[in-house]
Amino acid sequence: MASPDTDVSDLVDSLSLDEKCSLVRGAADPEGTATGYVPGVPRLDIPEFRLADGPLGIRIPGRSSTAFPASIAVAATFDPELARRQGVAMAREAKASGQHAVLGPGLNLVRVPNCGRNFEYYAEDPVVTADFAAAVVEGLQSEDVIATPKHYVANNQETKRLVVSAEVGERALRELYLPGFEAAVEAGAGSVMTAYNRVNGTHMSDHRRLVTEVLKDEWSFDGYVVSDWFGTESAVGAATAGLDLEMPGISLEALHEAFGIDPDAEMLEEGDDESIPAGETTTPRFATELKAAVGRDRAGLDRLDDMVARILGQMARIGLLDGDWDDGGALDAPEHRDLAETLAARGTVLLKNDDGALPLSDDADVALVGPGVAEAMLGGGGSSEVTPAREVSALAGIRARTDGSVVFEPGVERVVTPSFFDDESADAAGDDEDAGDDFPGGKTPDIDAAVDCAREADVAVVVVRDATTEGADRETLRLPGEQDELVEAVADAADRTVVVVQSGGPVELPWRDSVDAVVESWYPGQADGDALASVLYGDADPSGRLPVTFAPEESYPTASEERFPGVDDEAQYDEGVFVGYRHFDTADADDEPTYPFGHGLSYATFEYGEAEARGDDAVAVEVTNASDRAGREVVQAYVRPPAVAGVERPTRELAGYAAVELAAGETETVELSLSEHAFRRYDDAEGWTVDAGDYVVEVGRSSRDVRVETTVSR
Ligand code: BGC
């Protein structure tokens, strides 16, 4: 039994069996605003309960809210305080729309570079993931909105997401896939959403060991566990395993109608097992079967009471049961817009910058090339889609900032991100000239025209993008369409070429040696053009760092069919803990990353003094901004474990980091606390183990750019 306060237990005792059953499953929202809705019990003054999608902003059908940058861009700031502020802002937007819970953060580890939802997740590293998940949870819940970390657990691909079994060992679960959820729970998350997939053969909604034994018993999680939408495999099995709330609790057809989902959307076709299938599997489970089953024995009734108490307990915690819930909040508030821009600029990663190609001079004549420059890159497709009230395209942002001329050419066909929704208001927010299918000024896609305008300009800025979505993985890490050809052709003709990549995760950049600068701006959200202009013209230092390794597709550890997408509905996670830089730093030299984890340049240059251990869980280093301009450095500390016979460990693991702002010439001593996570390893027989010995702490600018080191012992 959860530990509800007395009021909640009394309330549970006062409910009839039917009323209890109505509180553990969703229903259609009469107001049509919520993604998930639980009707109240008016007889006992239990109010309605509404859950709205995230994690990139609050999705309310027919309403606009702030479209924040994708979570991977937020993680690229390496500044969890910004994520906490994003949580606060999203909670205030949720409250303004009467939503009590937000379905986010998404915090599955980026295991597969092709995963269609990488943009909704944070990193390939569990320490970064845990920090950002905890920060967003704290922010959301500080405003009395319930956070819903998702999707628990090992939901690392979209291909066959409803059926695939992650065949994953305990060590990898413990070291990589669970820490983000544990941190979110420690931060007080009131809810956790189960994943669609199976883990070692069992659907997550039915996974008693992971849901009850690990999440609830081991981590003392006292909130409620909600299913993913239509992800409840069984009634009794799920309830017994620990699932507390079934969503959406209505049929797929009713959901389409209620939430404006386009029934013809590609990802939702009947029978396509990469999507939500229509028919039998979308029949609500808790509607009838549960009531019949719990009536049979005391254990069933106790479990139902616990489910209800967990949900009511969270409603009570935010003040909903005693009428104290503050529904103030604000949609599209000026400070939310500013935060969206700050996050987008800070998360922008400068991958390459030869001969000071960037920042641009104020009066440079720019050829702005690319099929998406007249449309802000809001995000990927799927449940995280948000409709902002305002959005700024690259074209609008650069035009507003420059003193030079800007000539635009699309070059190639539009790259269209698939949408789950047919919400008319989605088209309402574009820049004046962006609406519709035409390019501004009646331009048509023509690589030669792009080359001609690039030749005339001082600098060509080419903006390229991918198109990723929930429900499908990327077939290739190459950019869609003829964008690579466009970059090559422009780079051949232009004096200087700067490429801006807007992608949901790692992409291949085959032309990178032919261009002068490469900027990764992810899916920057509504502030796209303003944030981009501030980085390109040097008003903001590009202080983002890569939370994922960029490498050729075939060199990732998941580049085998058995590992991804799996064979016979099983994906083998037998790379173990060697995911992301843990693989690249340990593997043969053939598997060199293109840009390593943690990489990102600044317009300033930083010098590192000696590293000094402070006790055994912190390290200090003097960092000097040796340039003549202000800059923001992300100081990173990695731990190299001692060799232990018979134990395979990653070469290094991230233990801590700090983003610091330094004026020209300024020196600061930066202290980094070292997460114990980087020291310990999970041993299948012994559990968490810390080997005695000397651990080298490497301090530097990326997993491959170590500047100084020191040693601590365990
Ligand atoms: C997604 C969840 C989302 C839910 C509700 C599912 O398709 O996997 O992340 O919160 O839908 O929209």
Side-chain angles (χ1 to χ4, degrees):
M1 182 68 143
S3 47
D5 58 29
T6 332
D7 292 350
V8 167
S9 335
D10 290 349
L11 208 47
V12 173
D13 288 346
S14 317
L15 289 161
S16 70
L17 182 59
D18 280 333
E19 286 166 342
K20 287 175 187 171
C21 289
S22 76
L23 287 169
V24 298
R25 55 174 282 236
D29 178 5
E31 210 180 66
T33 57
T35 310
Y37 170 81
V38 181
V41 181
R43 178 179 79 82
L44 294 171
D45 291 332
I46 298 175
E48 301 162 289
F49 185 48
R50 289 192 163 83
L51 303 79
D53 250 320
L56 276 54
I58 306 304
R59 182 169 56 75
I60 307 286
R63 285 191 204 171
S64 304
S65 53
T66 305
F68 288 97
S71 304
I72 197 165
V74 174
T77 67
F78 276 75
D79 187 349
E81 169 55 19
L82 289 174
R84 193 196 60 77
R85 286 170 52 197
Q86 184 200 8
V88 170
M90 289 195 298
R92 291 177 52 72
E93 302 219 351
K95 289 200 289 197
S97 298
Q99 308 297 311
H100 309 109
V102 168
L103 303 173
L107 53 91
N108 294 105
L109 206 85
V110 177
R111 168 182 183 253
V112 181
N114 311 61
C115 174
R117 291 187 92 170
N118 281 342
F119 72 96
E120 287 187 67
Y121 304 145
Y122 291 117
E124 66 187 23
D125 177 82
V127 170
V128 173
T129 298
D131 290 348
F132 279 80
V136 169
V137 166
E138 274 167 30
L140 282 166
Q141 299 210 157
S142 69
E143 289 285 326
D144 285 341
V145 167
I146 297 163
T148 317
K150 66 187 185 184
H151 312 86
Y152 185 70
V153 62
N155 181 182
N156 308 105
Q157 66 184 57
E158 292 299 285
T159 309
K160 297 205 159 193
R161 65 174 172 164
L162 298 176
V163 293
V164 72
S165 178
E167 296 294 307
V168 55
E170 191 65 12
R171 179 178 176 198
L173 269 179
R174 296 284 177 170
E175 291 189 22
L176 299 184
Y177 300 104
L178 290 172
F181 291 96
E182 187 173 8
V185 168
E186 271 170 22
S191 176
V192 168
M193 185 191 294
T194 51
Y196 283 129
N197 51 283
R198 294 179 296 148
V199 171
N200 297 325
T202 305
H203 271 103
M204 277 310 303
S205 68
D206 282 4
H207 213 298
R208 188 177 158 78
R209 192 181 76 79
L210 288 169
V211 175
T212 293
E213 291 171 23
V214 174
L215 173 66
K216 290 183 171 176
D217 296 347
E218 209 178 292
W219 300 345
S220 307
F221 171 69
D222 63 2
Y224 62 88
V225 178
V226 59
S227 73
D228 200 344
W229 270 231
F230 304 109
T232 307
E233 245 335 268
S234 63
V236 177
T240 312
L243 190 78
D244 302 304
L245 178 59
E246 179 190 21
M247 278 292 165
I250 54 177
S251 70
L252 185 63
E253 294 66 34
L255 181 91
H256 283 165
E257 213 181 300
F259 305 131
I261 294 178
D262 178 359
D264 297 325
E266 216 179 295
M267 284 70 57
L268 296 170
E269 273 168 23
E270 181 160 5
D272 175 355
D273 54 12
E274 287 166 24
S275 68
I276 298 169
E280 201 270 329
T281 49
T282 62
T283 306
R285 307 287 182 195
F286 283 7
T288 47
E289 293 165 65
L290 192 68
K291 184 179 164 194
V294 292
R296 278 184 225 128
D297 61 26
R298 188 64 243 168
L301 283 171
D302 284 349
R303 179 73 260 273
L304 180 63
D305 284 355
D306 178 45
M307 292 157 74
V308 174
R310 284 171 177 275
I311 295 160
L312 292 179
Q314 290 304 314
M315 290 169 73
R317 187 177 59 77
I318 61 169
L320 202 53
L321 293 187
D322 51 17
D324 276 353
W325 190 63
D326 155 31
D327 60 357
L331 274 175
D332 188 36
E335 61 272 24
H336 301 173
R337 281 178 232 150
D338 290 349
L339 180 61
E341 184 178 337
T342 302
L343 278 164
R346 293 247 174 101
T348 301
V349 186
L350 182 59
L351 294 173
K352 163 177 179 164
N353 191 21
D354 282 358
D355 304 323
L358 289 176
L360 301 177
S361 60
D362 289 349
D363 58 358
D365 292 330
V366 176
L368 186 57
V369 173
V373 297
E375 293 164 285
M377 187 58 170
L378 295 179
S383 54
S384 65
E385 291 173 43
V386 171
T387 307
R390 64 198 66 229
E391 59 191 60
V392 182
S393 67
L395 183 57
I398 289 172
R399 277 197 178 142
R401 174 61 180 78
T402 185
D403 297 333
S405 65
V406 182
V407 181
F408 154 71
E409 279 296 333
V412 296
E413 293 289 341
R414 235 191 191 84
V415 178
V416 180
T417 298
S419 171
F420 269 24
F421 305 96
D422 56 4
D423 184 354
E424 303 257 299
S425 65
D427 299 326
D431 301 300
D432 40 0
E433 39 188 10
D434 296 351
D437 289 335
D438 301 329
F439 290 109
K443 302 269 180 171
T444 49
D446 178 354
I447 293 189
D448 291 339
V451 166
D452 288 344
C453 90
R455 193 177 287 119
E456 300 299 310
D458 295 327
V459 58
V461 175
V462 190
V463 182
V464 289
R465 52 174 60 167
D466 68 5
T468 66
T469 179
E470 175 181 343
D473 291 319
R474 280 187 293 169
E475 275 165 28
T476 153
L477 297 191
R478 287 292 172 101
L479 292 166
E482 290 181 291
Q483 295 182 98
D484 286 338
E485 289 81 347
L486 174 67
V487 175
E488 290 283 9
V490 168
D492 258 3
D495 275 353
R496 259 191 308 156
T497 305
V498 173
V499 182
V500 178
V501 183
Q502 304 191 315
S503 69
V507 279
E508 288 187 1
L509 313 168
W511 32 256
R512 66 187 182 285
D513 290 337
S514 326
V515 305
D516 301 283
V518 184
V519 171
E520 171 60 71
S521 75
W522 315 105
Y523 298 159
Q526 67 178 47
D528 181 346
D530 283 339
L532 182 63
S534 72
V535 169
L536 292 182
Y537 288 90
D539 307 330
D541 195 28
S543 51
R545 303 292 184 261
L546 290 180
V548 287
T549 305
F550 275 40
E553 184 168 359
E554 65 282 0
S555 64
Y556 285 88
T558 48
S560 80
E561 204 190 350
E562 290 74 23
R563 290 179 176 171
F564 169 74
V567 174
D568 296 334
D569 296 343
E570 289 186 351
Q572 304 300 331
Y573 282 44
D574 55 359
E575 74 283 357
V577 297
F578 298 95
V579 169
Y581 70 91
R582 286 168 169 74
H583 160 77
F584 287 99
D585 285 2
T586 310
D588 304 342
D590 314 352
D591 281 347
E592 277 300 296
T594 313
Y595 296 110
F597 176 87
H599 172 73
L601 305 171
S602 159
Y603 293 147
T605 41
F606 300 98
E607 285 170 3
Y608 284 64
E610 295 301 301
E612 186 198 315
R614 297 254 166 105
D616 64 2
D617 60 1
V619 62
V621 63
E622 242 181 36
V623 181
T624 301
N625 177 350
S627 73
D628 57 6
R629 58 188 302 143
R632 193 174 166 90
E633 175 68 321
V634 176
V635 184
Q636 304 163 38
Y638 297 82
V639 164
R640 290 179 82 115
V644 174
V647 174
E648 270 194 299
R649 287 192 77 167
T651 302
R652 59 176 62 82
E653 301 192 61
L654 184 72
Y657 52 87
V660 280
E661 213 71 68
L662 294 176
E666 195 184 354
T667 297
E668 195 175 304
T669 301
V670 181
E671 186 168 306
L672 310 175
S673 44
L674 305 173
S675 165
E676 196 56 20
H677 193 80
F679 293 88
R680 62 187 191 170
R681 63 183 172 84
Y682 194 86
D683 181 281
D684 284 348
E686 307 285 324
W688 286 115
T689 304
V690 180
D691 298 309
D694 288 340
Y695 290 74
V696 178
V697 181
E698 303 174 329
V699 180
R701 304 200 72 252
S702 80
S703 60
R704 294 291 179 108
D705 186 358
V706 173
R707 298 292 171 95
V708 283
E709 50 183 61
T710 182
T711 307
V712 297
S713 302
R714 282 291 180 279

